[in-house]
Amino acid sequence: MVRAARTSVVALVCVVTSVLAAACVSCSHTTDPGSGQKRVAIITPSHDNPFFKAEAEAAAEQARTLGYEVLVNSHDDDANKQDQLIDVAIARKVSAIILDNAGADASIAAVNKAKAAGVPSILIDREINATGAAAGQIVSNNYQGATLGAEEFVRLMGEKGAYIELVGRESDTNASVRSRGYHDVLDKYPDLKMVGRQSANWDQREAFQKTETMIQGNRTIKGVIAGNDTMALGAMAALKAAGMADVIVVGFDGSPDAIASIKAKEIRATVLQPAAAIARMAVDQAHRLITSGSTGQPEKQAVDCELVTLANADQFGVFARK
Amino acid sequence: MAEPRLLGFVLRMRAFIALGVVTLVFSLLSPEFLTTGNLSILVKHVAINAILAIGMTFVIISGGIDLSVGSIVGFSGMVAGLLLSRGLVLAPFDTVIYPHVWFVVVLSLLAGMAIGAINGWIVSRLGVAPFIATLGSMYVARGAALLMSDGATFPNLAGNVSLGNTGFPWIGTANLGGVPVSVVIMAVLACAAIFLAARTPFGRHVYAVGGNERAATLSGVRVAQVRLRVYVMSGFCAALVGLIIAAQLGAAHPATGSTFELNAIAAVVLGGTSLMGGRGTVGGTLIGAFVIGVLADGLVLLGVSEFWQMVVKGLVIVLAVILDQFQKRSS
């Protein structure tokens, strides 16, 4: 018995060691010490969302092209983990941090800490509720994008009919900004009636289940407007399963999956956020700041979104025009 | 004399009573609640949590806990997604095989059972506390799911006619005699589990191991083997759920299933199973899963905000456990 346990422990140790070895092999290209080479840190939410993966990869590619060593990390929308990653970035003496932050208020202290240590941060995608802490804040204009999406939704609905709205995580600024943009347009049409509104936390499966439940009470709905693409795709799957595939679904983000769905004549429209372009802009401005002492731009910059429909879906790639 | 007996009855039947109360409240507040359409959707939503909770019931009765089920849901869905989208890559032979859908299903289930077997092995042979062992595999399985696609979603699982692997969405969208496939799976699994728990030596051994491990050992129960099996069963149930969700959405996402383990544990506890082990029933767990499902769907139907939904769910779980304590003291 003791001997069996001992063999088991040895086996387990071997497994753990080999997994660690595999993990090190896979990350060796990012930890290459490179003598005298300048570094930038790129910190974003989890890469399991293609949006954040695309912006992180675009930023990393641009930084490597400009001759930087790149540290890529994910804070998983946890402000505490973000704080630790910024500590690590400061300790590793990066020249700049490109950050898609973990909360408009929860991130201010971390950005200030980096600034105090002489490391400038350029924020992308999400703003923080402070000015002067970051060297730049480049975001896509969520409000403008939402009005674009809502106008297309109104046109597809023929200015009338019942619809439901799926909202993103309610603690997230972009969820409320997009919803406000939608309603500033939709509420002008008295024949458009919202018969249900639920948060599906940006999640495809939650959107699927909540749509299934909501359409029980409202069999006559004509449209679903969603705060992002994964929720739009979840709603579409539920509508298809209920034999209601002709319901008009509009999303937001412009993810490759949503564009494929538009091409397959499932969801009707989405609003593309130029995430990849914004990430490259941020790296360029960080480079200018490091080399010449100024980004050459105002701190707050908003980049307009673009409407994607069946008519123009071919022109878009991964969060950017082709 | 009559009063304590009535109290005892209420306590024993608390999950039933809770289910009756929430059903009554929602049918009064929303005219759509008691329609066949809504009830069939409701049962479909409950099936996801109920299948996980059935596996979890055996683990908890045996005195353990399985925190890895949510990650196994994501992992097995990703295995199916990988096999359907990219095929089985046989690097040494430089070929790619696109297996038939049923083979994909079997491989995904085996993947879930393998993680369960590792849990069971670490718990039973190495004597690691179940909480720790399955906490570890929760992280490992989630990481493995993310590594499989580098974090991306496998978006289209409908298969390709030329590759001969179409038909996967059937599991999530088809009806058998008007009943969704996932509900049929839940019903079959529930019957099998009730039989297994109440009528077989294995079932009695699970209760014995959870009730008094030393007594079980002395009376000749092979404790380690029983432990291993309950975790394999839990892994199997979780893998089933992973397949159902991937088939419903027509997509496999690596983050699917996070926090599902907590919903499953909540259903088990609501159903009167003791977290100390040795006591509980599969039937109770099913009712617990229905209480949680009715609450979730009913509140959505009424248009109640997400935040209140969480508060209500939490209160109901705590209330159920308080009642459980009362029952233990009074019996």
Side-chain angles (χ1 to χ4, degrees):
Chain A
M1 193 67 191
V2 174
R3 191 139 163 220
R6 202 175 294 160
T7 330
S8 303
V9 171
V10 171
L12 201 62
V13 169
C14 291
V15 169
V16 171
T17 319
S18 51
V19 168
L20 282 180
C24 286
V25 168
S26 77
C27 67
S28 61
H29 58 278
T30 56
T31 52
D32 179 22
S35 54
Q37 198 181 8
K38 286 194 166 165
R39 296 191 182 110
V40 293
I42 297 162
I43 304 172
T44 67
S46 173
H47 292 194
D48 66 16
N49 182 328
F51 181 88
F52 301 121
K53 189 172 168 172
E55 72 177 13
E57 282 176 353
E61 195 191 322
Q62 185 72 357
R64 287 200 190 98
T65 319
L66 292 171
Y68 291 93
E69 187 201 329
V70 183
L71 307 172
V72 181
N73 273 300
S74 161
H75 56 60
D76 298 331
D77 282 299
D78 174 349
N80 181 44
K81 189 170 173 196
Q82 169 180 277
D83 193 57
Q84 293 169 353
L85 289 173
I86 286 182
D87 283 337
V88 172
I90 294 169
R92 295 201 59 187
K93 300 194 169 56
V94 300
S95 306
I97 298 172
I98 310 293
L99 174 68
D100 189 343
N101 69 75
D105 292 305
S107 306
I108 299 172
V111 172
N112 272 323
K113 177 166 63 180
K115 189 186 181 193
V119 181
S121 308
I122 309 249
L123 307 192
I124 54 175
D125 179 44
R126 302 170 179 170
E127 290 179 317
I128 53 170
N129 292 334
T131 48
Q137 303 195 40
I138 316 172
V139 296
S140 58
N141 194 335
N142 274 271
Y143 181 83
Q144 169 266 347
T147 56
L148 267 185
E151 278 158 12
E152 178 66 8
F153 187 68
V154 169
R155 197 186 65 75
L156 292 164
M157 296 278 286
E159 300 187 6
K160 59 173 186 288
Y163 72 93
I164 55 182
E165 184 190 1
L166 291 170
V167 197
R169 185 170 293 121
E170 291 181 84
S171 53
D172 192 324
T173 325
N174 282 344
S176 54
V177 171
R178 287 177 199 173
S179 184
R180 189 156 48 81
Y182 286 160
H183 282 285
D184 283 355
V185 174
L186 300 179
D187 296 353
K188 279 190 244 162
Y189 298 88
D191 293 334
L192 275 176
K193 272 203 157 45
M194 184 167 77
V195 293
R197 180 178 195 265
Q198 278 285 327
S199 165
N201 292 313
W202 308 124
D203 183 74
Q204 195 163 349
R205 191 196 58 86
E206 259 193 78
F208 177 85
Q209 289 206 343
K210 289 193 166 160
T211 305
E212 275 195 323
T213 304
M214 280 195 282
I215 57 181
Q216 289 314 309
N218 311 287
R219 274 270 158 199
T220 55
I221 62 153
K222 212 171 128 193
V224 175
I225 191 159
N228 79 345
D229 282 339
T230 47
M231 294 193 294
L233 291 170
M236 193 68 234
L239 292 165
K240 266 204 305 198
M244 296 166 71
D246 54 338
V247 170
I248 295 152
V249 180
V250 170
F252 197 110
D253 274 349
S255 76
D257 295 350
I259 292 176
S261 172
I262 290 173
K263 286 182 186 163
K265 298 190 175 154
E266 291 178 341
I267 77 166
R268 302 294 187 87
T270 183
V271 177
L272 183 122
Q273 297 195 68
I278 287 175
R280 283 191 284 270
M281 278 170 69
V283 174
D284 286 342
Q285 290 182 22
H287 180 60
R288 224 170 301 147
L289 183 65
I290 294 163
T291 49
S292 72
S294 159
T295 63
Q297 296 287 336
E299 182 185 336
K300 293 224 178 192
Q301 304 157 52
V303 182
D304 278 351
C305 301
E306 293 189 71
L307 184 71
V308 185
T309 60
L310 185 60
N312 68 357
D314 287 333
Q315 302 165 15
F316 295 93
V318 182
F319 294 105
R321 268 188 182 274
K322 270 181 194 162
Chain B
M1 190 65 194
E3 256 182 40
R5 202 184 293 165
L6 180 69
L7 186 67
F9 177 75
V10 169
L11 284 173
R12 258 201 318 283
M13 304 301 286
R14 65 184 182 282
F16 253 123
I17 293 169
L19 184 59
V21 170
V22 287
T23 310
L24 187 72
V25 168
F26 285 123
S27 44
L28 288 177
L29 290 176
S30 161
E32 295 91 19
F33 187 78
L34 274 185
T35 57
T36 28
N38 183 55
L39 291 181
S40 89
I41 294 290
L42 178 91
V43 178
K44 208 173 113 186
H45 292 173
V46 167
I48 302 236
N49 189 20
I51 294 172
L52 283 181
I54 288 171
M56 185 72 81
T57 307
F58 284 93
V59 175
I60 292 182
I61 292 175
S62 81
I65 190 102
D66 189 351
L67 300 180
S68 67
V69 292
S71 296
I72 298 177
V73 168
F75 182 77
S76 70
M78 288 301 284
V79 170
L82 184 76
L83 291 172
L84 287 167
S85 313
R86 297 199 192 146
L88 196 59
V89 182
L90 299 174
F93 305 104
D94 208 21
T95 49
V96 179
I97 301 172
Y98 286 90
H100 191 267
V101 166
W102 287 114
F103 194 53
V104 170
V105 168
V106 170
L107 283 181
S108 309
L109 292 174
L110 284 177
M113 290 163 78
I115 298 176
I118 294 169
N119 284 336
W121 178 67
I122 294 176
V123 170
S124 62
R125 302 284 173 190
L126 302 184
V128 175
F131 189 96
I132 306 299
T134 59
L135 183 71
S137 55
M138 173 179 103
Y139 286 119
V140 173
R142 180 69 68 202
L146 286 158
L147 279 170
M148 242 183 273
S149 64
D150 204 8
T153 300
F154 289 118
N156 185 5
L157 303 188
N160 191 328
V161 179
S162 64
L163 300 173
N165 62 354
T166 53
F168 182 70
W170 181 86
I171 305 166
T173 53
N175 289 309
L176 294 175
V179 184
V181 175
S182 56
V183 176
V184 174
I185 294 176
M186 171 182 74
V188 170
L189 208 61
C191 293
I194 289 171
F195 178 77
L196 203 61
R199 299 255 179 272
T200 63
F202 171 72
R204 285 192 291 279
H205 291 171
V206 174
Y207 282 95
V209 168
N212 186 336
E213 192 188 331
R214 202 170 144 69
T217 313
L218 291 175
S219 50
V221 175
R222 297 166 76 179
V223 174
Q225 198 188 58
V226 171
R227 285 244 160 93
L228 181 69
R229 284 186 186 168
V230 293
Y231 287 98
V232 173
M233 280 163 58
S234 179
F236 172 80
C237 292
L240 264 179
V241 171
L243 289 172
I244 292 169
I245 291 178
Q248 279 179 350
L249 296 175
H253 181 57
T256 301
S258 58
T259 73
F260 276 24
E261 59 280 352
L262 299 179
N263 273 330
I265 294 169
V268 174
V269 171
L270 262 175
T273 296
S274 163
L275 278 177
M276 300 291 130
R279 190 165 61 88
T281 60
V282 174
T285 294
L286 283 175
I287 295 169
F290 268 91
V291 172
I292 293 178
V294 168
L295 270 177
D297 272 20
L299 292 171
V300 169
L301 209 54
L302 290 181
V304 175
S305 125
E306 167 84 11
F307 299 162
W308 280 110
Q309 294 176 27
M310 290 160 82
V311 171
V312 172
K313 191 161 110 185
L315 288 178
V316 168
I317 293 167
V318 174
L319 193 68
V321 180
I322 293 173
L323 289 173
D324 194 52
Q325 300 299 323
F326 267 117
Q327 188 189 8
K328 253 197 268 169
R329 241 175 281 160
S330 67
S331 63

